[in-house]
Amino acid sequence: MPVAKAYTRAELDGLVACPACDALHRRVDVPVGSRSRCLRCHTVLTAPRNSAMTQIVMLAATGVVLMVAAMVFPFLSIDARGFSQNSSVLDAVMAFSDGIMLPLSIATVALIVFLPLLRLGAVIYALAPMAIGYAPAKGAARAFRLAQALKPWAMAEIFIIGVAVALVKIAGLATLTIGPAFWAFAALALVMALKDTLMCRLTVWKTLEQRRLS
Amino acid sequence: MEDPGTTATILTAREAGLVACTGCGRLDHIGEPTCSLCGASLDSRDEQSLQKVWAWMIAGLIAYIPANLYPMLETETLGRVSDSTIIGGVIELIHHGSWGVAAIVFVASVVIPIGKFLAIMFLAYSIKHPDRTSSLTRQHLYEAVEFIGRWSMIDVFVVAILSSLVHLGSVVNVNPGIAAVSFALSVAFTMLSAQSFDSRQIWDADRRVAA
């Protein structure tokens, strides 16, 4: 191993390491709209977009509104031989709420409602002050780190595919009516996916750093 | 762009005496405990990574067994109760002629979990016992595992929706079965297993062989 050299902060900031394979690269200004990749493992390092910050905040806010709509409006209802049954999203996730199944209920609420909301909130908190004004809010770094950590656990889009499968299973048994909450949820899944494609985490961190110092 | 095969010219942060934050990409000297930008704890390599990977994976495997043996759904039709396991549900869908949906459920609940167990085992094993598969292929395999793993939750959500929706008096009732719990746990454990894996080790092993 070569002798460790002491780098200055400015020298360190001129470098970036690939988060996947640890290869060092010189930080270069990537033109808006293109992306830089790790030379060794091809992981995307930065992909800056024009006015991405504003768009991400807007999409996250849209996501919160849609999530509220998905909670409030009717989700699905079925009819069969005179019996009918309505279900809201909360009914769906509280299906396991008796006895030994209760922990699963709580986990389901967390995965499809609570964690996606928390993640959207954290993104808004970290980025909105920078999108509207200039300086980030206090604790913005912590909020954005939380948003990053929650990413795999927010499963709203998986839930909507699950609903689609369930609908096919029921279709033979009963007449189905799809409520507005279903469409709100489907739109939410799309909005979240779009937000994640726009968000380039290394660029967000760089911006957070620059604006925190000035 | 450089050919991925020629990695010898590339210097890693560790070789330069630096440690990179996996959260935000910022560099610090080795020995710094936390990242000065985002506050994440810094580790040049997670030395316990493989232990955590194996531990979570064994937990996931153990939970996957009852998930397949016990019923996911208990359907009560006109007083007659029938249980269906994961595979049972797939076969039922095929009988209804819903091949597409049967395929989705089969892939999400059988192919993905088993594929994930095998992929993680192979990746963890290949760190200690380097083989001919290139680092780039293994990196892509790891990314695929991380991306796809969470989709196994589909079946748990299907059970949740069916059992909340289908309560039609004496006609038909659906209740969740105990396998839903084991299956959800199995998916969560394997997700934790994949997250514990430190992909930088794939490339370190490659470097040792080349040297």
Side-chain angles (χ1 to χ4, degrees):
Chain A
M1 191 183 269
V3 182
K5 167 188 171 208
Y7 293 85
T8 64
R9 186 74 256 170
E11 280 176 317
L12 289 178
D13 286 345
L15 298 170
V16 62
C18 171
C21 79
D22 211 31
L24 270 182
H25 300 76
R26 239 168 237 108
R27 227 179 242 277
V28 287
D29 280 327
V30 178
V32 165
S34 51
R35 40 174 68 176
S36 65
R37 285 172 182 273
C38 172
L39 285 176
R40 184 159 72 160
C41 73
H42 301 178
T43 302
V44 174
L45 296 176
T46 49
R49 293 277 175 277
N50 238 342
S51 62
M53 194 90 79
T54 322
Q55 288 175 23
I56 293 166
V57 172
M58 291 304 172
L59 286 170
T62 312
V64 173
V65 173
L66 287 171
M67 183 63 99
V68 172
M71 293 299 111
V72 176
F73 292 114
F75 189 54
L76 297 168
S77 67
I78 66 171
D79 270 284
R81 297 177 219 177
F83 291 96
S84 79
Q85 172 79 28
N86 292 306
S87 167
S88 70
V89 172
L90 281 179
D91 287 336
V93 295
M94 292 315 284
F96 305 117
S97 60
D98 47 334
I100 188 172
M101 299 292 204
L102 186 63
L104 189 59
S105 254
I106 295 168
T108 316
V109 177
L111 292 175
I112 69 175
V113 181
F114 180 66
L115 294 182
L117 269 182
L118 185 62
R119 183 155 180 262
L120 290 170
V123 167
I124 294 175
Y125 183 84
L127 299 187
M130 287 202 293
I132 298 166
Y134 184 79
K138 199 163 173 279
R142 184 170 299 192
F144 194 65
R145 196 149 67 90
L146 177 72
Q148 255 174 233
L150 288 178
K151 192 176 176 190
W153 301 100
M155 300 191 180
E157 76 278 26
I158 300 173
F159 179 68
I160 210 72
I161 303 290
V163 174
V165 173
L167 293 185
V168 173
K169 283 195 164 193
I170 302 174
L173 291 173
T175 323
L176 274 160
T177 318
I178 292 172
F182 175 83
W183 300 112
F185 222 103
L188 173 73
L190 283 178
V191 164
M192 286 185 127
L194 189 57
K195 173 181 70 79
D196 287 338
T197 21
L198 280 175
M199 194 148 69
C200 159
R201 60 183 180 146
L202 291 193
T203 312
V204 170
W205 281 114
K206 202 72 206 163
T207 319
L208 265 173
E209 181 188 15
Q210 285 162 353
R211 299 200 180 175
R212 190 168 64 174
L213 292 174
S214 49
Chain B
M1 183 166 287
E2 214 172 322
D3 179 62
T6 61
T7 61
T9 55
I10 284 172
L11 185 70
T12 63
R14 186 188 182 85
E15 286 161 352
L18 300 173
V19 52
C21 175
T22 47
C24 67
R26 187 185 174 88
L27 289 151
D28 274 298
H29 290 103
I30 280 185
E32 285 293 321
T34 53
C35 172
S36 49
L37 173 57
C38 73
S41 63
L42 291 178
D43 239 331
S44 179
R45 295 293 180 274
D46 185 352
E47 304 294 343
Q48 270 137 32
S49 158
L50 286 183
Q51 284 185 41
K52 287 186 243 169
V53 169
W54 285 112
W56 284 120
M57 206 195 50
I58 291 165
L61 265 175
I62 291 172
Y64 191 64
I65 297 168
N68 278 284
L69 296 181
Y70 288 96
M72 277 299 256
L73 277 177
E74 287 166 8
T75 313
E76 203 184 312
T77 324
L78 301 168
R80 198 166 47 86
V81 181
S82 69
D83 293 342
S84 66
T85 56
I86 293 177
I87 294 291
V90 173
I91 292 170
E92 216 170 285
L93 279 168
I94 292 174
H95 282 312
H96 285 302
S98 314
W99 286 93
V101 182
I104 292 178
V105 176
F106 184 72
V107 169
S109 337
V110 181
V111 178
I112 293 179
I114 291 179
K116 210 173 141 180
F117 287 131
L118 294 175
I120 298 174
M121 276 194 247
F122 166 67
L123 286 172
Y125 183 80
S126 75
I127 298 295
K128 289 281 162 72
H129 307 86
D131 71 3
R132 268 166 286 141
T133 323
S134 79
S135 299
L136 192 65
T137 312
R138 280 182 285 148
Q139 175 74 33
H140 288 327
L141 180 64
Y142 175 63
E143 279 162 18
V145 165
E146 258 211 318
F147 177 78
I148 282 173
R150 42 208 289 283
W151 287 91
S152 296
M153 277 290 186
I154 286 179
D155 221 23
V156 175
F157 294 147
V158 170
V159 172
I161 296 151
L162 288 180
S163 43
S164 75
L165 202 56
V166 187
H167 280 288
L168 298 171
S170 54
V171 185
V172 57
N173 284 294
V174 171
N175 290 309
I178 192 77
V181 178
S182 345
F183 191 75
L185 280 177
S186 173
V187 176
F189 289 156
T190 43
M191 280 174 71
L192 287 166
S193 173
Q195 284 175 20
S196 310
F197 187 75
D198 187 346
S199 66
R200 294 174 294 193
Q201 291 182 322
I202 294 176
W203 298 90
D204 289 347
D206 191 37
R207 196 51 76 90
R208 278 199 303 273
V209 172

